Amino acid sequence: MKKIYLYLTALVAAFCLAACSEDDTPQLSGVESGELRLDAGSIDGNNTKYTFTWTNTRFYLDGDHQKQVSLVGYEKNGVDYHLMGVETGRDWSEAVDFGSVVSGNHLTLDYEGIANVMQSNFGMVRSADEEKTSNIDFQLQAKYCSPDSCTVSSEILTVPFVLTVTPPFEGEKAKLFISIATDWSPSVYVYAWSSDKADTDLFGGWGGYKLEGSTTAGPDGNQYYEIPLNDNFYGTTANLIIHDEVNDGSNRVEGQPPLAITFADETEDVYLRVTGDAIDGYTVVRVEKPLPKLYVKSDLGYAAYAMYAWGSNGDVDLGWPGLLPTGTESINGENWIVFEPTKPYTQDKTNWIINNNGAGDQIDLMQGFEFTRNTFVRISADGSYTVAGGPIASDGYVVYIDDQTGWDEITCYQWGDVNDFGGGWPGKAVDGTVTIGGITYKYFNYGADVKGLNQNLIFNNGGNGVQIGDFNFTFERDIYLTVTADKATEK
């Protein structure tokens, strides 16, 4: 019976000069030879491509190197090449498969792929301020038929690997808010840990951050504590444990899906609400921001109304004639028709048509419109219309505030592109109040001159010695703020 030998020769030198060996075992030479080569000349940068190369496998009959047998003729499915690796100093039984290819002569891995293997299998941890260095022992294994005896392996090649510091997060950072509605003691904490950070205790140790200080209204109207997040929270998945005492911690929620959060992927602030009792147990839910509503004040005189929207991907919500009103709302003596979306609008640019519920009359409204906030549309009998962020008519823009300061008086001073805009210190007095969706807002109505200005707003108690920090805003739309005795935040 004829024996079949597998032979793997080394690729040496940058000019691809091949050297054949009489050894039946595949050979990998050092990094400098190019046999196991790292592209780009760097091994410590993010997204560096690591390319491991070797020569094609050749088959011979009875050890006669002059009688080569084609790969396809020998085995229909080819040869499986696996690049096995283990952190230097560990037993080879711990080796893992970094990647594989069939009947090829190279394998490319990216930096993050190797980093993930080293973190998940060998305990390397990424730090926010210090690089971590380790060596990896690589071995190429070629399997050319079913029995394990048909596997041959190369020599070990050791390659240094540098786990870089956590790259700085450059996006807009989502915030974390927590509300407690339980029978717990007043001392409630949130602890956070990560399995792929050097600082696994993201707040610095048990029991974490204590919920204290002022609160702010959340999307559901309940009061929430804002949890200050350090840079360790971005670029990782934070696992949260919410509990009521540092030393005891018997009352807690952990391991529930809403408590594992990758903040770098969040486009909206995260609101968590803990409810329950010792008998029925405790539950944490994520409270989502309600979908925006469309308010219409119409003089068209239609007997029935429908609102249709379309974008580059077709119907935005429902097919023609579109959404029907969910009701009406009286705001400052005016009757507004209310349309509520059935799902989030994922198309950036939308086009709107109001119609008489498909009975033949229609008016084109906003074109290329980004529907991300409550929107108020006033339509005249001739079909002309105006679009605003609130019900108060203005030549410029309106600042609506949910005043939770407890002050007897509140004024708004502006400085920035134009100092003393709206008046010198202590600033502009409230123009009035309006109730929208059950929330009573105070509002400041600024004229056309405010358009486009980048301003710093300082809310104060009418110049009587109390003020909060600046809130920076560019006046390109109406805005809704929650104002407490500590700060102003956009709703």
Side-chain angles (χ1 to χ4, degrees), residues 211-261:
L211 277 60
E212 58 186 353
S214 62
T215 58
T216 186
D220 56 357
N222 291 306
Q223 293 298 305
Y224 285 77
Y225 294 95
E226 181 178 349
I227 312 302
L229 304 181
N230 56 53
D231 289 340
N232 283 330
F233 280 84
Y234 300 94
T236 188
T237 296
N239 301 281
L240 307 182
I241 300 174
I242 304 173
H243 60 103
D244 73 340
E245 287 289 354
V246 175
N247 295 326
D248 181 10
S250 57
N251 292 328
R252 64 170 66 185
V253 287
E254 61 180 314
Q256 299 182 25
L259 295 173
I261 306 167

Side-chain angles (χ1 to χ4, degrees), residues 332-354:
N332 277 22
E334 294 183 309
N335 196 43
W336 293 81
I337 305 169
V338 183
F339 296 90
E340 299 184 52
T342 63
K343 58 186 177 182
Y345 282 24
T346 56
Q347 300 187 53
D348 291 337
K349 305 293 185 180
T350 54
N351 309 291
W352 297 74
I353 300 174
I354 194 166

Side-chain angles (χ1 to χ4, degrees), residues 104-122:
N105 64 351
H106 70 278
L107 178 66
T108 298
L109 305 176
D110 62 31
Y111 174 87
E112 289 298 333
I114 299 177
N116 289 338
V117 172
M118 295 303 291
Q119 291 178 96
S120 60
N121 291 277
F122 303 117

